[in-house]
Amino acid sequence: MRYFVAVAEELHFGRAATRLHMSQPPLSRAIKQLEADVGAPLFTRSPTGVTLTAVGSVLLDEARALLDHADRVRVRVSAAAGVATLTVGILGDGTDPGVARLAAAYRRSHPGIDIRVRDTDLTDPTCGLRAGLVDIALTRAPFDETSLTVRQLRSDPVGVVLRADDPLARRERLRLAELDDRRWFQFPQGTDPAWQSYWNGGRPRQGPVVRAVQECLQAVLWNGTVGLAPLGHDLPAELAVVPLIDMPPSRVVAVWNESDTNPLIRSFIETATAAYRR
């Protein structure tokens, strides 16, 4: 199921294999076996990637629910066993160099701690923290901070993602008002309002609903939808990002429940603060 969700969110076997830290052939075999078990194709395959079939879309919702439940079980069992484990939620793009520096530094300073990573989509900026699925989240603000402790690690300027052949893509910079007549991607109903508002430039918008980074990029590529993204991330050649001069920066933060006294969290935050300062 984790393999299936990765392919469904990336819409590409190669990118999903990279995300899962595995080669593509065993991933393809696993998905074919799952399709055989289900008795129907889950993806429509093409040279440029894949799209979900109707059956695949139904299974995706169920798979996410099953994996969430499995994560809750693992957290409860680890707590009962007294295992020195810290579960970290990571939002969206795991290629952030700050994450890589943090992982290397934490391994050196805490070799006996078992770090488990929960990669989450864009619909929950706290990465499962409120549901008890993670101990700490590496994410982006803003969101509802009630009963949470938030430590800023970095801030990134933000730009608008456009098709490379869009006339606005040739501009050196843009203002939000210049995008008022465009369709923007949206997050599903129930997503944190502060989070949705920020990525919509502070006002209500209309456009397709997305859950993952790759779905955002595909919405731009296929439909000419616009959306915001932190600057400095690699994009396909068919897309461009133009800096926005009136958009507040995106804050990279570490967040945990304010009532959590786990000493591993304090040491993790100290290491993260140093790693992101470089």
Side-chain angles (χ1 to χ4, degrees):
M1 285 298 179
R2 292 191 188 278
Y3 292 175
F4 165 69
V5 169
V7 177
E9 291 180 346
E10 298 293 340
L11 296 176
H12 192 279
F13 275 89
R15 288 192 296 265
T18 300
R19 168 173 155 181
L20 294 164
H21 306 290
M22 64 187 299
S23 61
Q24 188 170 332
L27 175 60
S28 297
R29 289 195 295 271
I31 296 301
K32 287 180 179 177
Q33 181 60 55
L34 181 59
E35 289 177 319
D37 293 342
V38 171
L42 301 174
F43 298 102
T44 300
R45 293 153 171 87
S46 73
T48 58
V50 299
T51 56
L52 280 165
T53 63
V55 174
S57 295
V58 172
L59 182 60
L60 180 58
D61 289 338
E62 298 294 337
R64 284 170 168 151
L66 284 170
L67 293 176
D68 280 349
H69 180 68
D71 287 339
R72 289 189 184 93
V73 170
R74 186 164 53 203
V75 169
R76 293 182 63 189
V77 169
S78 295
V83 178
T85 299
L86 194 68
T87 303
V88 180
I90 296 180
L91 181 81
D93 187 4
T95 62
D96 187 321
V99 174
R101 289 195 300 269
L102 170 55
Y106 200 82
R107 282 200 309 273
R108 289 194 300 268
S109 59
H110 298 78
I113 305 302
D114 180 18
I115 293 290
R116 294 177 179 171
V117 175
R118 184 174 188 269
D119 188 36
T120 58
D121 62 30
L122 301 176
T123 63
D124 178 11
T126 68
C127 306
L129 188 63
R130 295 190 188 280
L133 300 178
V134 300
D135 299 303
I136 191 165
L138 296 174
T139 182
R140 290 182 180 272
F143 46 80
D144 178 10
E145 298 182 8
T146 304
S147 300
L148 302 177
T149 302
V150 178
R151 172 76 60 86
Q152 180 168 321
L153 302 175
R154 194 185 68 218
S155 65
D156 297 329
V158 172
V160 57
V161 181
L162 304 162
R163 285 178 53 95
D165 58 3
D166 190 305
L168 293 181
R170 296 191 291 270
R171 300 275 294 276
E172 291 187 3
R173 57 186 63 86
L174 289 167
R175 292 183 178 275
L176 286 167
E178 296 177 88
L179 305 168
D180 283 349
D181 61 342
R182 300 299 188 94
R183 284 166 56 80
W184 294 51
F185 47 69
Q186 305 294 299
F187 299 129
Q189 186 175 3
T191 298
D192 186 292
W195 172 255
Q196 174 83 34
S197 177
Y198 176 84
W199 292 109
N200 276 180
R203 53 162 288 186
R205 309 282 184 176
Q206 298 293 324
V209 174
V210 298
R211 299 179 64 104
V213 171
Q214 287 301 322
E215 291 180 12
C216 299
L217 300 182
Q218 292 297 326
V220 178
L221 182 63
W222 286 89
N223 301 316
T225 309
V226 303
L228 308 186
L231 301 183
H233 289 253
D234 293 332
L235 292 175
E238 298 83 4
L239 301 177
V241 61
V242 180
L244 287 164
I245 61 175
D246 57 347
M247 182 70 190
S250 171
R251 295 187 294 126
V252 179
V253 299
V255 55
W256 63 100
N257 288 305
E258 63 180 20
S259 60
D260 197 333
T261 59
N262 185 346
L264 293 179
I265 292 178
R266 179 179 299 177
S267 63
F268 186 91
I269 291 299
E270 292 172 354
T271 306
T273 301
Y276 276 82
R277 191 183 297 131
R278 298 177 192 173

